[in-house]
Amino acid sequence: GDQVEQSPSALSLHEGTGSALRCNFTTTMRAVQWFRKNSRGSLINLFYLASGTKENGRLKSAFDSKERYSTLHIRDAQLEDSGTYFCAAKNTGGLSGKLTFGEGTQVTVIS
Amino acid sequence: AQTIHQWPVAEIKAVGSPLSLGCTIKGKSSPNLYWYWQATGGTLQQLFYSITVGQVESVVQLNLSASRPKDDQFILSTEKLLLSHSGFYLCAGEKDTQYFGPGTRLLVL
């Protein structure tokens, strides 16, 4: 079945620095979403991309369907950026709206 | 703006007892609706989806059922809970982008 490989599984960043999370897909996906888990365990939408890049504040995401990957860049990391981030991809066929999730990246920002 | 409400917030139930989890979505007409489940330490899995009232498709068999009695309402239920049903249940609504509700934490003892 469709698989989403998310890396790294954990990431430590010093305040003010940046890094990137990546998801590789085993098949062609038609869209990707990036989420962040809140304190209660639910998921907050960060980005939805069908192609190209989107930017929101210090976060930027890119999606390349042909090359089968998506990235989430964090720049100028702040303590409040700590948390678990997930990518989820929507496949091109099969069930409408079926999202396949990556296993998440635990981001820790340290001062 | 779209808002998703789930109930209850959390529940502790006995094995073999019935379960009903609810989800309502406001702010979008005729959204696609989804139920997800995450076992402790596990990956989020899609359980059911519905594109219209009265129509529900099962994605993963977990001895659970779902119904969509109204356009803005999605119900997850079972007549007999299993220990393996414990976990975190998320409802999501979609118009292109999926938005998630706050979730229900279930512990089956």
Side-chain angles (χ1 to χ4, degrees):
Chain A
D2 300 338
Q3 286 194 9
V4 176
E5 298 161 357
Q6 186 171 344
S7 62
S9 57
L11 177 65
S12 287
L13 291 170
H14 284 283
E15 271 187 296
T17 65
S19 190
L21 287 58
R22 184 179 177 104
C23 282
N24 292 323
F25 313 121
T26 56
T27 60
T28 301
M29 300 295 188
R30 62 185 172 96
V32 68
Q33 285 188 243
W34 283 91
F35 299 93
R36 177 179 166 176
K37 186 182 275 193
N38 67 8
S39 58
R40 225 187 141 262
S42 187
L43 298 173
I44 306 300
N45 250 304
L46 298 177
F47 293 103
Y48 171 87
L49 297 100
S51 65
T53 64
K54 284 188 179 179
E55 194 164 355
N56 185 4
R58 294 177 291 99
L59 298 178
K60 181 177 179 179
S61 183
F63 173 50
D64 190 325
S65 176
K66 184 179 176 184
E67 298 299 323
R68 300 183 181 179
Y69 77 90
S70 178
T71 56
L72 177 69
H73 292 259
I74 304 172
R75 64 174 176 83
D76 187 25
Q78 302 298 307
L79 294 176
E80 59 265 29
D81 294 331
S82 294
T84 305
Y85 294 75
F86 292 90
C87 69
K90 189 179 290 190
N91 59 15
T92 55
L95 296 169
S96 170
K98 184 180 190 302
L99 281 179
T100 303
F101 280 78
E103 296 195 352
T105 298
Q106 178 66 49
V107 174
T108 304
V109 181
I110 50 181
S111 58
Chain B
Q2 182 178 235
T3 58
I4 302 176
H5 176 57
Q6 284 187 247
W7 72 92
V9 170
E11 194 144 38
I12 300 175
K13 301 277 281 186
V15 169
S17 64
L19 174 76
S20 181
L21 303 182
C23 171
T24 56
I25 178 168
K26 302 296 182 185
K28 292 282 184 183
S29 63
S30 303
N32 293 341
L33 295 177
Y34 303 86
W35 277 111
Y36 288 85
W37 169 72
Q38 184 177 28
T40 303
T43 306
L44 205 60
Q45 295 185 70
Q46 193 177 69
L47 299 179
F48 297 94
Y49 81 101
S50 170
I51 61 174
T52 192
V53 174
Q55 185 179 348
V56 177
E57 299 294 332
S58 173
V59 179
V60 173
Q61 289 298 327
L62 281 181
N63 293 308
L64 295 168
S65 60
S67 64
R68 187 168 178 179
K70 299 179 185 178
D71 186 55
D72 63 351
Q73 195 174 81
F74 207 18
I75 307 296
L76 184 71
S77 61
T78 183
E79 292 187 0
K80 286 187 178 181
L81 277 166
L82 306 173
L83 285 174
S84 57
H85 287 138
S86 292
F88 191 57
Y89 290 82
L90 280 169
C91 175
E94 179 192 50
K95 281 283 192 183
D96 288 328
T97 307
Q98 287 195 21
Y99 291 88
F100 286 80
T104 295
R105 202 162 295 280
L106 174 67
L107 178 61
V108 182
L109 300 173

